[in-house]
């Protein structure tokens, strides 16, 4: 209350007349301990973030110790934990229906967690208890009562993730293709739990050539196989079935999505400064995005996104090329540009991420990559594709084959 405008009668002074006062008062108020359960020292904004975290299905089963560990890993704030959880939901489409196209067979996961498979089945990768091909989607009935939220399909192998964090694998009994064509001796034709992962709550799997990677609920990355000569930062046998933590820069940085291609792995990381992408593995074709074609034994930050002022939100790893969708809807591609799969109007290699200018009028929300194909989904539901058109694999009704 104060005298204003020369009037001797006290009147109300509108705080909005001075925005800096409003900002200071608001920030001071929301930073103070709210004295509310469950943590009385938290501010209102931190409590709100914690409340929203507790509404996420992935967060609910965590113990208090696990939650505090995740909070510390994300930067010591529930707001940062919430951003980590939301980023994972956005890029991996967790707990939503999925369609996964593998090299010869496909997997469909419904929103209720039921799994269907169809296609080639020479290694039992359809999970129906046999090795007979099936060209119509059939439900994997041995999984009844288990809710699946994510799937990965590789050459002759399938992995499924349940809402309880368990991993089920079937097909070739080696994790991806072992080096020099060496494969496991038996075929698994029905989904079997991966016992070596029973103590890790897994939320995503990615099958590459020579190796398989899984992502834990806390954002840690583990790999199987392809550790020979420390290619992925550790030294193991080609058919090693024990999960090895990915060492190096990402040991203390939470990862929200992984994508595996031919002998390389991409990791979408969530840091207090924003989202970033790390790559590790074989650098042939420039697919690691560092401006060179050299291999990386430990995860290395792709710095080009900072120069482009692009916040990565979704990553995709094809056999020899990769793609990212930014928060602003821009699409970047890099790697081997054969058949025009990078979308830059030529077949040249790009060793650092480059914005696809032909999609400048499109706001992308998702991207997927194959051997030499790329598919982009826009925010209004349109789908764009480019790359190798052999066997009409791009979905365009064109007269020429292989364009």
């Amino acid at each position: 209350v104060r005298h204003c405008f020369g009037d001797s009668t006290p009147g109300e002074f509108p705080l909005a007349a001075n925005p800096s006062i409003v900002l200071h008062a608001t920030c001071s108020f929301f930073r103070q301990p709210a004295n509310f359960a469950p943590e009385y020292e938290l501010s209102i904004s931190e409590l709100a973030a914690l409340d929203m975290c507790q509404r996420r299905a992935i967060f609910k089963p965590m113990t208090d110790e696990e939650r505090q560990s995740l909070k510390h890993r994300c930067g010591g704030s529930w707001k940062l934990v919430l951003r980590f959880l939301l980023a994972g939901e956005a890029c991996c489409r967790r707990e939503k229906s999925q369609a996964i196209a593998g090299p010869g067979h496909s997997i469909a996961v419904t929103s209720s967690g039921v799994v269907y498979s169809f296609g080639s089945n020479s290694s039992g990768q359809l999970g129906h208890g046999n090795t007979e091909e099936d060209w119509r989607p059939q439900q994997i009935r041995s999984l009844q009562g288990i809710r699946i939220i994510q799937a990965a399909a590789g050459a002759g192998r399938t992995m499924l993730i349940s809402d309880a964090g368990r991993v089920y694998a079937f097909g070739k009994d080696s994790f991806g293709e072992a080096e020099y064509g060496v494969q496991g001796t038996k075929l698994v034709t029905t989904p079997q739990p991966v016992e070596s992962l029973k103590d890790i709550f897994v939320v995503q799997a990615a099958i590459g050539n020579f190796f398989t990677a899984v992502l834990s609920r806390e954002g840690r990355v583990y790999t199987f196989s392809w550790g020979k000569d420390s290619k992925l930062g550790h030294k193991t046998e080609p058919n090693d079935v024990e999960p090895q933590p990915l060492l190096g820069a990402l040991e203390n940085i939470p990862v929200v999505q992984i994508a595996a291609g031919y002998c390389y792995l991409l990791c979408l990381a969530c840091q207090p400064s924003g989202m970033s992408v790390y790559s590790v593995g074989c650098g042939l074709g420039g697919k690691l995005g560092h401006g060179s074609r050299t291999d990386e034994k430990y995860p290395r930050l792709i710095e080009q996104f900072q120069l482009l002022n692009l916040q990565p939100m979704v990553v995709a790893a094809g056999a020899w090329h990769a793609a990212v969708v930014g928060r602003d809807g821009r699409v970047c591609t890099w790697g081997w540009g054969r058949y025009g799969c990078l979308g830059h109007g030529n077949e040249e290699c790009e060793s650092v991420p480059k914005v696809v200018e032909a999609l400048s009028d499109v706001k992308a929300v998702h991207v997927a990559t194959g051997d030499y194909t790329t598919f982009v989904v826009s925010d209004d539901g349109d789908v764009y594709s480019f790359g190798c058109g052999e066997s009409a694999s791009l979905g365009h009704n064109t007269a020429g084959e292989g364009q």
Side-chain angles (χ1 to χ4, degrees):
V1 179
R2 68 162 223 176
H3 296 281
C4 58
F5 306 119
D7 192 337
S8 59
T9 305
E12 294 181 357
F13 171 64
L15 284 176
N18 192 329
S20 62
I21 294 179
V22 178
L23 183 62
H24 176 75
T26 303
C27 291
S28 299
F29 175 76
F30 282 107
R31 285 195 186 116
Q32 293 176 8
N35 199 33
F36 289 150
E39 295 190 34
Y40 294 93
E41 295 302 314
L42 291 181
S43 66
I44 289 180
S45 57
E46 279 288 288
L47 274 174
L50 175 58
D51 180 65
M52 293 183 71
C53 288
Q54 291 172 335
R55 297 170 188 265
R56 325 316 296 184
I58 193 175
F59 190 83
K60 288 179 181 178
M62 297 178 74
T63 64
D64 289 340
E65 184 178 351
E66 290 170 336
R67 292 179 178 184
Q68 291 297 329
S69 176
L70 178 60
K71 179 182 177 183
H72 175 73
R73 185 171 173 79
C74 289
S77 165
W78 291 119
K79 288 182 283 189
L80 294 176
V81 173
L82 178 61
R83 187 175 70 173
F84 166 74
L85 297 178
L86 292 176
E89 292 176 6
C91 65
C92 300
R93 303 179 183 273
R94 293 175 189 157
E95 313 218 355
K96 299 178 182 178
S97 55
Q98 288 184 325
I100 309 296
H105 73 293
S106 297
I107 306 294
V109 182
T110 71
S111 57
S112 60
V114 178
V115 183
Y116 294 80
S117 61
F118 55 100
S120 176
N121 195 31
S122 58
S123 301
Q125 62 264 41
L126 296 187
H128 300 313
N130 55 49
T131 55
E132 298 174 6
E133 293 183 347
D134 203 329
W135 302 109
R136 292 185 177 183
Q138 300 292 336
Q139 181 181 345
I140 302 180
R141 301 196 178 277
S142 63
L143 290 171
Q144 287 185 337
I146 299 173
R147 185 169 183 262
I148 300 299
I149 61 170
Q150 204 265 340
R157 186 169 182 80
T158 306
M159 299 182 77
L160 304 174
I161 315 298
S162 76
D163 62 348
R166 294 303 306 271
V167 181
Y168 299 84
F170 45 101
K172 295 175 182 176
D173 68 338
S174 60
F175 281 93
E177 294 180 357
E179 274 190 289
Y180 311 118
V182 178
Q183 298 293 349
T185 56
K186 66 176 183 177
L187 303 179
V188 179
T189 59
T190 57
Q192 301 295 323
V194 180
E195 292 301 322
S196 60
L197 290 171
K198 64 182 179 180
D199 295 327
I200 301 173
F201 195 111
V202 175
V203 294
Q204 192 201 348
I207 302 175
N209 295 71
F210 307 117
F211 77 99
T212 295
V214 297
L215 177 65
S216 78
R217 176 176 56 185
E218 297 78 23
R220 292 186 174 90
V221 181
Y222 299 84
T223 61
F224 297 87
S225 296
W226 213 53
K228 187 175 181 181
D229 300 325
S230 300
K231 287 187 175 71
L232 290 177
H234 51 73
K235 191 172 183 179
T236 59
E237 295 299 317
N239 283 326
D240 187 29
V241 295
E242 291 297 321
Q244 303 291 333
L246 191 62
L247 304 177
L250 293 176
E251 289 183 66
N252 297 309
I253 299 175
V255 173
V256 299
Q257 184 199 357
I258 54 176
Y262 195 90
C263 307
Y264 74 107
L265 180 70
L266 299 179
C267 300
L268 178 63
C270 183
Q271 298 173 267
S273 58
M275 305 296 289
S276 55
V277 180
Y278 289 76
S279 61
V280 61
C282 171
L284 285 178
K287 59 183 183 285
L288 295 185
H290 303 305
S292 67
R293 300 186 182 186
T294 57
D295 299 346
E296 298 289 342
K297 292 185 178 181
Y298 297 96
R300 179 181 170 186
L301 174 68
I302 300 179
E303 299 177 355
Q304 183 68 10
F305 295 114
Q306 295 174 337
L307 299 176
L308 294 172
N309 193 28
L310 184 144
Q311 280 274 325
M313 296 302 294
V314 180
V315 297
W320 296 94
H321 74 294
V324 154
V325 173
R327 184 187 298 274
D328 58 5
R330 285 184 291 171
V331 178
C332 287
T333 58
W334 68 96
W336 194 13
R338 192 178 182 188
Y339 301 111
C341 62
L342 299 185
H344 301 311
N346 54 48
E347 295 190 50
E348 297 178 5
C349 292
E350 297 289 345
S351 58
V352 294
K354 181 179 179 180
V355 175
V356 181
E357 296 297 340
L359 293 172
S360 59
D361 295 332
V362 175
K363 184 176 182 181
V365 294
H366 201 67
V367 65
T369 49
D371 277 3
Y372 299 107
T373 57
T374 306
F375 290 78
V376 175
V377 183
S378 72
D379 61 346
D380 56 9
D382 289 332
V383 181
Y384 299 81
S385 64
F386 42 95
C388 180
E390 189 174 307
S391 303
S393 57
L394 295 180
H396 302 300
N397 186 19
T398 55
E401 279 287 314
Q403 298 300 312

